[in-house]
Amino acid sequence: MSNPEPEKMSVPPPETDVEGGEPAAATARSSGFGVGLVLRRWKRDDYMRKGSLILRAFGLFFSLLSFIIMASNNHGDWREFGKYEEYRYVLAIAILSTMYTGVQTYKQVHQLQTGRELFAFKNSALIEFVGDQIMAYLLLSSASAAIPMTNRMRESSDNIFTDSSAASISMSLLAFLSLASSSLIAGYKLSTASSF
Amino acid sequence: MSNPEPEKMSVPPPETDVEGGEPAAATARSSGFGVGLVLRRWKRDDYMRKGSLILRAFGLFFSLLSFIIMASNNHGDWREFGKYEEYRYVLAIAILSTMYTGVQTYKQVHQLQTGRELFAFKNSALIEFVGDQIMAYLLLSSASAAIPMTNRMRESSDNIFTDSSAASISMSLLAFLSLASSSLIAGYKLSTASSF
């Protein structure tokens, strides 16, 4: 709970003295330490950028699979996804998530290739964090809503309709895991960007 | 995405010079600025601590309500919560959430009164963040799972059983909102504590 940073930062800097050998060495050491910190931080930021891109690409892949599997889940009679509100919910959220992760992945790839941001919003870190978190909640909610009914259906009959539903729900859950992890990185970025 | 902090922090500090009036003034100004930052940060930390306590107390209140309403939801025949796995899930998560938020609230009140931490873990910020986030996901998942069946039941019959179920689910959703907000604060604390 207690934060040691402010104390560290209010320590007075060592005085620069051209005559004495020891204070100069102390200065060099302290500035080397600062550069090391900055370099380490840049490296970590780089890992985070790549990690965030990979997680969003996984999110895109899984949401797209969930969307395609659920949308093609029509086998006549009672075995049509459109007759159940839970499955319509899964499909709607999978489409939303595909669109969101698609835009985010495209944006990040564009930035990695050209070095410029596609949209120059001031609060893009905040938008990313909120977007990831909300999509993660929606994906989890839709998968949770569809699981009990699918479970009950599979107890009585196990056919291509129930199998496809289960596959689509699993893909939604995997997309949820990707976006939940991605929101951790986005949250970290957001809080370090605005911490001082 | 670009982080301005490292540049700011690697600026060389102004040299202290006892002879010249102007550099001394510059030093005073810069140290005053630093103190202002630290004070502002402490104030913000204080708000966050209080906000986190209030949000967890709300989480405890709503989970307890959800737990009590669902546990007393027995009205004979088909109107017993134990016959539906969705409602058993809601009850189980409400109990878990009550226990978790109870311990966290007690811990924070204890710390506020005595100034000491109840458990001195090294990673307590991490544990809090992970705990809040996982409880939020579980609460959302249980509420989402129980909503479709309750909805379908209320279409055919609207009695004390379906009303109590709906009330319990709503309380779970409110507890989810409290814990999701609390996890934002915990995540902020976590990332500022470990950012350098």
Side-chain angles (χ1 to χ4, degrees):
Chain A
M1 242 64 74
S2 73
N3 203 319
E5 267 181 74
E7 282 80 12
K8 253 191 233 162
M9 294 183 66
S10 59
V11 165
E15 292 177 26
T16 48
D17 192 346
V18 282
E19 280 138 71
E22 211 188 317
T27 311
R29 238 188 292 127
S30 93
S31 85
F33 185 55
V35 168
L37 273 181
V38 170
L39 283 181
R40 231 190 301 156
R41 172 144 195 173
W42 280 352
K43 209 168 176 184
R44 194 169 53 190
D45 282 359
D46 194 49
Y47 281 139
M48 289 217 160
R49 208 166 293 129
K50 276 180 199 151
S52 156
L53 175 59
I54 291 170
L55 284 172
R56 290 227 176 88
F58 269 114
L60 173 61
F61 176 68
F62 290 129
S63 340
L64 193 65
L65 272 184
S66 173
F67 158 41
I68 291 172
I69 296 172
M70 189 53 93
S72 61
N73 199 6
N74 285 313
H75 307 280
D77 202 15
W78 61 275
R79 290 173 296 184
E80 303 207 340
F81 81 90
K83 289 188 178 154
Y84 307 92
E85 59 176 359
E86 288 93 332
Y87 294 156
R88 292 200 301 268
Y89 184 27
V90 170
L91 180 69
I93 299 301
I95 292 174
L96 252 183
S97 170
T98 307
M99 281 161 48
Y100 171 76
T101 49
V103 168
Q104 287 284 9
T105 311
Y106 176 71
K107 200 183 119 196
Q108 279 188 295
V109 168
H110 183 269
Q111 200 193 344
L112 213 68
Q113 283 180 336
T114 63
R116 283 179 297 115
E117 290 205 34
L118 193 60
F119 315 111
F121 289 131
K122 202 182 160 196
N123 296 325
S124 76
L126 181 65
I127 293 170
E128 272 183 30
F129 171 66
V130 171
D132 281 7
Q133 190 85 60
I134 288 180
M135 278 317 311
Y137 284 138
L138 285 176
L139 283 165
L140 178 66
S141 168
S142 69
S144 300
I147 285 174
M149 197 180 60
T150 312
N151 211 16
R152 217 168 280 137
M153 274 182 186
R154 282 168 78 103
E155 274 168 17
S156 55
S157 69
D158 198 356
N159 52 34
I160 191 170
F161 176 67
T162 56
D163 282 351
S164 302
S165 311
S168 174
I169 292 166
S170 312
M171 292 302 124
S172 278
L173 280 176
L174 288 174
F176 153 69
L177 286 180
S178 310
L179 279 177
S181 319
S182 163
S183 84
L184 291 184
I185 296 182
Y188 175 82
K189 252 194 235 167
L190 176 67
S191 54
T192 49
S194 69
S195 72
F196 258 104
Chain B
M1 244 66 72
S2 73
N3 203 319
E5 267 183 73
E7 283 78 14
K8 251 192 236 164
M9 294 184 67
S10 60
V11 166
E15 293 176 25
T16 49
D17 192 343
V18 282
E19 279 138 73
E22 210 186 319
T27 311
R29 238 186 292 126
S30 92
S31 85
F33 186 54
V35 168
L37 273 182
V38 171
L39 283 181
R40 232 191 300 155
R41 172 143 193 173
W42 280 351
K43 209 169 177 185
R44 193 169 53 189
D45 282 359
D46 193 49
Y47 281 139
M48 289 219 162
R49 208 165 295 129
K50 276 181 199 150
S52 156
L53 175 59
I54 291 170
L55 284 171
R56 290 226 177 90
F58 268 114
L60 172 61
F61 176 68
F62 290 129
S63 333
L64 193 66
L65 271 185
S66 172
F67 159 40
I68 291 172
I69 295 172
M70 189 53 91
S72 61
N73 200 5
N74 285 312
H75 306 280
D77 203 14
W78 61 273
R79 290 173 295 184
E80 301 206 342
F81 80 90
K83 289 188 177 153
Y84 307 92
E85 58 176 0
E86 288 92 333
Y87 294 157
R88 292 199 302 268
Y89 184 29
V90 169
L91 180 68
I93 300 299
I95 292 176
L96 253 182
S97 170
T98 306
M99 280 161 49
Y100 171 76
T101 48
V103 168
Q104 287 284 10
T105 310
Y106 176 71
K107 200 183 119 196
Q108 279 188 297
V109 168
H110 182 270
Q111 200 193 343
L112 213 69
Q113 284 180 336
T114 64
R116 283 179 295 117
E117 290 205 34
L118 194 60
F119 315 110
F121 289 129
K122 201 181 160 198
N123 296 326
S124 77
L126 181 65
I127 293 170
E128 270 182 32
F129 172 66
V130 171
D132 281 6
Q133 191 85 58
I134 289 181
M135 278 317 311
Y137 284 138
L138 285 176
L139 282 165
L140 178 66
S141 168
S142 69
S144 300
I147 286 174
M149 197 181 60
T150 312
N151 210 15
R152 218 168 279 136
M153 275 183 186
R154 282 168 80 103
E155 273 168 18
S156 55
S157 67
D158 199 355
N159 52 34
I160 192 170
F161 175 68
T162 55
D163 282 352
S164 302
S165 310
S168 174
I169 293 167
S170 312
M171 292 301 123
S172 277
L173 280 177
L174 288 174
F176 153 70
L177 286 181
S178 309
L179 279 176
S181 318
S182 163
S183 84
L184 291 184
I185 296 182
Y188 176 82
K189 254 194 231 167
L190 176 68
S191 54
T192 48
S194 69
S195 74
F196 258 104

